Amino acid sequence: MDSLNEKIQLLEDRQDTEWCAIKDEIDEIKDNLKPLNLIRNTVEEINETVGFKSHIAQSAISIGIGYLAKRFVVGKSDSKVKNIFGSLLQLVVTNLVSKPHEPSREESS
């Protein structure tokens, strides 16, 4: 009976460990599916595939993505307010994409 209880306890401990691993994996997947991280990962893959090592090439890609974000959200508009908003959006997206990816607090724990 003691042997059976010991095996049950070992299996329950194993189940808890596996559930924790599954939860961690789900958190990592959710983090990777955030739009900003998708864009960053795509830029990093392009840089690795094409072989862009210079900061100039990486900056050009970041600026291009910022421009596309502006065009996607604002489009072609004659409104000054929309144009200012689009320029600010372009600046923010360009800066966010150009920053190196930093792991979240949960990943570093």
Side-chain angles (χ1 to χ4, degrees):
M1 197 63 164
D2 290 337
S3 174
L4 184 59
N5 286 335
E6 187 175 310
K7 287 182 181 181
I8 289 172
Q9 185 61 43
L10 286 173
L11 287 173
E12 287 176 348
D13 291 344
R14 180 176 165 192
Q15 183 182 26
D16 289 342
T17 303
E18 289 176 356
W19 272 113
C20 287
I22 289 171
K23 288 178 185 178
D24 290 342
E25 187 71 26
I26 289 172
D27 288 341
E28 184 178 333
I29 290 170
K30 286 194 305 188
D31 187 52
N32 286 334
L33 290 177
K34 291 179 182 175
L36 182 60
N37 289 337
L38 285 173
I39 293 170
R40 273 194 189 129
N41 292 339
T42 303
V43 169
E44 288 173 6
E45 286 179 21
I46 290 171
N47 288 341
E48 290 173 7
T49 303
V50 178
F52 286 139
K53 298 293 180 189
S54 71
H55 294 291
I56 295 171
Q58 292 176 359
S59 296
I61 291 172
S62 298
I63 291 169
I65 291 173
Y67 177 78
L68 290 175
K70 176 183 175 181
R71 285 292 167 210
F72 180 71
V73 173
V74 177
K76 292 185 178 183
S77 175
D78 293 330
S79 170
K80 296 280 184 191
V81 175
K82 281 187 178 180
N83 284 333
I84 291 171
F85 172 74
S87 296
L88 289 174
L89 176 69
Q90 180 179 353
L91 179 66
V92 169
V93 170
T94 300
N95 284 332
L96 288 175
V97 171
S98 66
K99 289 182 183 176
H101 177 66
E102 297 175 9
S104 63
R105 283 183 267 157
E106 292 106 20
E107 289 179 23
S108 61
S109 306

